Amino acid sequence: MEYIYFFETEEPLILKFDLVPLDELLLHEEVIEDHLKKLSCAIKESGVISDPVIIDDYSKVVLDGTHRVCVLKEMHLEFAPVVRVNYAHNAIQLKRWFRILDGSEKDIISVLNNLNYEQVDLPSINSDLLDREIVIAKKNSAFIIEAGKNVFEKYSALREFEKLLRKKCVRIDYVTENEALESLSQGKIIIMTPRIEKQDVINFAKKNLVFPPKSTRHVFKLRPVFLNFPLSLLKELKAAPEARKEVLREFLLERIPLEIEGYLTIDRFYEEDYLLLFV
Amino acid sequence: MLHVIIYIVDALSVDSALQIENALKELKSNHPYEILSFRVIPGKGEITILVRENTREVIDRIKNESDRILERLNLKIQQRIYRTANCQYNDTKILALMLILEALINGALYNPSEITSRGTFKLIRSLFEKDTNFRMAAFKIKKIGLSKEEFLTAMTLYMMGRSDVRSIVKLCSWTLNIDSEGVIKHLRSLESRGLLEIQGKDTVSLLPVFNTEMDEILSILKDSFRNFHKIAEGVNFDEVLKEKNDESIYILDQGSIKKLRLSKVTDAITLNPEASSLREVLPLILYLLTESRGKVISKRLFENIVSLLAELIK
């Protein structure tokens, strides 16, 4: 079932609701174990998958909902409620997660010393370099990490760097670019991550190469939320998989789709322009 | 204008969720026009209330009364969000009528598919074809020269009046079981034949002349339904009922799905004196339940189809 939205772009954004076999989905990011456990408990307690997983219509790569997919797999379910989108559409933006480091500066520097880096003045770094490399910034200084030939290798190096930081009890908070830059101005040490292109997400996922957790941040101009698809229906589908599209269609028929303005905090902050929720 | 009030409260037990549901049902019965719908998700502690704008005062009263309900049940409100909302209604009534019309003209006017060659539908078709009104409607539809999908797209447009493309596309795709690209193709075809006009970026409507034609066809088809009891008089439905009674469908009611043997539907209609008028269209009901929608149907749509058929044959 499809919902069409006209924005300023010529091409409308089409959200295609579907129930797809979990084994057809490709992941591009690892999960955070703690987050997975919490989500698993929440899903079991509520008995619903709150938000549909968002996938690229052509490649079946999961853009949003890696943890949900893993929880459903753990529960031995066969299908996931998804929204298929045209990933190339301008209404879908691929942004980054930066990191704020909370720990002793001495420990952070000691970990940094295990890597090859170049120390420079932060203002001297051009934006192109900031998009390509891992940069650790503190006030006006920056450490450009020299690691990896492509974006996947750079993120793999970042994964190892973060492991070492955690061993030194440095807390890592994942935040938006703006939040990180604000923290930098307040004297915090931050990690600026390289930009990943949409094509990288698809290409590496197809090769079964997954980025570390919190590598990509997809912002959809209109995000479908609160679908609250019952697990009981997903379980029933096991017995009648051929009827899954019909089940979803009739389920959606029983719901009222509402479009509300975004930039609001409900269960978390939604930075999308609009939310599509179902009552 | 619609408004949505979302509450996030501490995780709700099933009992608390039921208590809230009951309290909100009562609130809705006190404000039947203003409160369109609500939903309570137990484990998540999420409560959503959809309110139709009346006056600011009424909306505030609903907000305050909802707050008091949660307070009374000792629920701590973590978040209360209040937003205006755009809504794409799922107009189940129009959908039900479209499905009935689709069933009626399917095969009778266009090339019969494998599905429609089965006994149940053959009987319905042959009965309708005995009626002068139906034959007149069939003649008019054929004269327009549209494909079945184009005709049903046009009929949806007629029933929705001037409407935004996305609502049309959604309803058509639900009726015809096709994706939005397919519906847009039919809309473009109607546009190229000069039967509809597109205003602005996404508003479409049928041209007045074509609207009148649709009006006539729909009213003739409705007359045909009214005559149906006369045509069906004395017809033995046993054979077609036998064909269908062994089959099962799945009824989707909110979050649950139940398997239902069609013999139960047949019994419910044939053994219930209040449903006597529906006996004549029982084969059509069985066809709609099993072939037009596949094997799964929402309870709400099912109820709408049955009540609409009862209304049409009055």
Side-chain angles (χ1 to χ4, degrees), chain A residues 1-2 4-5 7 50 228 232 236 246 249-250 252-257 259 261-262 264 279, chain B residues 39 41 44 46 81 83 86 88 90 166 174 177 179-180 201 254-255 257 293 295-296 298 300:
Chain A
M1 299 322 302
E2 299 178 0
I4 288 193
Y5 289 87
F7 298 115
S50 178
N228 290 319
S232 58
E236 286 287 341
E246 290 171 21
R249 180 191 64 200
E250 301 301 304
L252 288 171
L253 193 60
E254 298 237 328
R255 297 281 188 273
I256 302 172
E259 191 187 315
E261 277 187 21
L264 82 169
V279 179
Chain B
R39 191 161 295 280
I41 307 293
K44 275 181 72 189
E46 177 190 302
I81 293 112
R83 278 279 202 273
N86 283 327
Q88 292 184 43
N90 294 332
R166 56 189 195 174
W174 286 34
N177 260 334
D179 63 15
S180 56
K201 203 159 100 184
Q254 301 290 334
I257 191 161
R293 297 294 283 174
K295 294 286 180 197
V296 187
S298 90
R300 199 150 68 102

Side-chain angles (χ1 to χ4, degrees), chain A residues 202-217:
Chain A
I202 304 294
N203 290 344
F204 288 113
K206 278 182 175 173
K207 290 178 195 163
N208 286 324
L209 294 174
V210 283
F211 284 91
K214 296 283 181 189
S215 296
T216 61
R217 184 165 62 89

Side-chain angles (χ1 to χ4, degrees), chain A residues 172-233:
Chain A
I172 304 169
D173 287 328
Y174 302 98
V175 294
T176 63
E177 294 98 317
N178 287 343
E179 283 173 299
L181 295 175
E182 207 183 306
S183 295
L184 178 69
S185 68
Q186 290 164 2
K188 296 264 173 70
I189 301 177
I190 66 164
I191 303 178
M192 293 189 263
T193 52
R195 184 176 296 283
I196 303 173
E197 300 298 332
K198 287 180 179 179
Q199 205 50 52
D200 294 325
V201 171
I202 304 294
N203 290 344
F204 288 113
K206 278 182 175 173
K207 290 178 195 163
N208 286 324
L209 294 174
V210 283
F211 284 91
K214 296 283 181 189
S215 296
T216 61
R217 184 165 62 89
H218 287 99
V219 179
F220 306 87
K221 198 166 178 71
L222 174 88
R223 177 184 276 272
V225 293
F226 294 7
L227 180 68
N228 290 319
F229 196 85
L231 290 177
S232 58
L233 282 188

Side-chain angles (χ1 to χ4, degrees), chain B residues 191-292:
Chain B
E191 189 192 11
S192 69
R193 287 160 188 258
L195 300 175
L196 65 80
E197 58 180 349
I198 299 175
Q199 296 105 1
K201 203 159 100 184
D202 65 346
T203 307
V204 284
S205 64
L206 290 180
L207 286 182
V209 182
F210 194 43
N211 233 0
T212 315
E213 247 175 297
M214 284 297 185
D215 190 30
E216 271 179 42
I217 291 169
L218 188 62
S219 117
I220 298 170
L221 284 172
K222 283 181 177 173
D223 284 344
S224 196
F225 265 104
R226 278 184 211 109
N227 287 339
F228 197 72
H229 68 280
K230 285 183 205 157
I231 310 161
E233 210 169 293
V235 175
N236 187 353
F237 287 142
D238 286 354
E239 202 178 317
V240 284
L241 296 187
K242 211 172 130 190
E243 178 189 298
K244 288 280 163 201
N245 274 349
D246 287 343
E247 291 184 26
S248 295
I249 53 161
Y250 293 91
I251 300 268
L252 201 143
D253 182 12
Q254 301 290 334
S256 67
I257 191 161
K258 284 176 192 142
K259 198 174 179 178
L260 180 71
R261 273 180 82 87
L262 286 183
S263 55
K264 296 249 178 195
V265 179
T266 306
D267 289 349
I269 291 172
T270 51
L271 303 175
N272 180 1
E274 283 175 21
S276 61
S277 62
L278 285 171
R279 278 177 218 164
E280 295 149 13
V281 282
L282 184 56
L284 183 57
I285 292 176
L286 297 183
Y287 168 80
L288 282 163
L289 291 183
T290 55
E291 289 173 26
S292 143

Side-chain angles (χ1 to χ4, degrees), chain B residues 43-78:
Chain B
K44 275 181 72 189
E46 177 190 302
I47 302 152
T48 316
I49 306 169
L50 183 58
V51 185
R52 197 197 319 247
E53 179 160 355
N54 187 315
T55 59
R56 183 78 218 176
E57 190 200 339
V58 171
I59 291 169
D60 282 344
R61 196 158 70 224
I62 290 169
K63 269 203 305 192
N64 294 337
E65 286 182 34
S66 311
D67 281 2
R68 273 201 294 276
I69 288 170
L70 300 181
E71 206 174 287
R72 200 175 66 220
L73 296 169
N74 291 324
L75 292 166
K76 195 178 156 209
I77 300 172
Q78 293 172 5

